[in-house]
Each structure stands twice: as C-alpha cells, then as structure tokens.
Amino acid sequence: QVQLVESGGGLVQAGGSLRLSCAASGRTFSISAMGWFRQAPGKAREFVAAISWRGGSTNYADSVKGRFTISRDNAKNTVYLQMTSLKPEDTAVYYCASGSHPGVYDSWGQGTQVTVSS
C-alpha cells in the first residue's frame, strides 16, 4: 500500500498562487504515476494533472493548462502542484492519487481544501 498526505491548501484571492504538496510513503517503489484530482461542492471528482513517476511526462485538464504545473521529487517521494492565476472556479478539495498501473489510481490522500475568493 502507498500512503499519501497532502498539504498546502488554503484561502487565496483570485489571481493568486498556491503550491500543493503530496508526500508518499509505504510501497513507493510500486508507483507508476501520480495525479491530482479535485472535487467542488455538488460536483463529481475531476482530473486535474498527472505525472509519470519515472519519465516525468505530464498531462493536464484543459481547464488548468498554462496555469497549473505538476512536478515531482523522486528523492523525497513527493509530488507538487503549482497553481497560478487562480480563479474562483478552482475552489475545491484537491486530492493526490497514485497508481501502480497506467491510468489506474489505487491510493488516495485525504484531500486539502483550496478556496479562491473573487
């Protein structure tokens, strides 16, 4: 099992920036990719960004392209989500996830709240 702990959420004004972190522990050798998802009140959880653990290739949801950047530090078993030009519609609980197989996320963090005020 992989355990994930997110941090870095908070309240920020529109146009501001935040950096989320997600520290992985446990069977980290099994990680193939890590991703960020978010869930706004009354909405389904949606994909935000992902990064392959070894090659570092990334992909993003269209809604965050050019504003968010996902990165990883393999030595620290940590993945980051740098969020800039934040909008009120980015308000959500952000979850970190890891997967041992491409496209499948089987470990999830507890989530961290991001609130963007207008």
Side-chain angles (χ1 to χ4, degrees), residues 3-96:
Q3 293 78 44
L4 303 171
V5 179
E6 303 103 330
S7 60
L11 173 64
V12 64
Q13 288 189 332
S17 300
L18 279 175
R19 189 177 81 154
L20 305 183
S21 300
C22 174
S25 60
R27 297 172 60 87
T28 56
F29 60 86
S30 68
I31 296 175
S32 172
M34 293 188 72
W36 288 95
F37 294 75
R38 66 186 182 186
Q39 187 167 20
K43 295 188 176 181
R45 187 175 298 186
E46 65 175 2
F47 169 77
V48 175
I51 187 166
S52 67
W53 201 238
R54 293 172 180 79
S57 60
T58 60
N59 65 298
Y60 298 91
D62 287 344
S63 59
V64 307
K65 278 181 183 176
R67 300 189 298 122
F68 291 10
T69 303
I70 189 170
S71 61
R72 87 246 193 261
D73 184 333
N74 294 66
K76 296 182 179 180
N77 290 324
T78 299
V79 66
Y80 305 97
L81 185 68
Q82 179 68 49
M83 305 184 293
T84 63
S85 301
L86 282 161
K87 306 175 182 180
E89 51 264 43
D90 294 317
T91 295
V93 177
Y94 283 70
Y95 296 90
C96 174

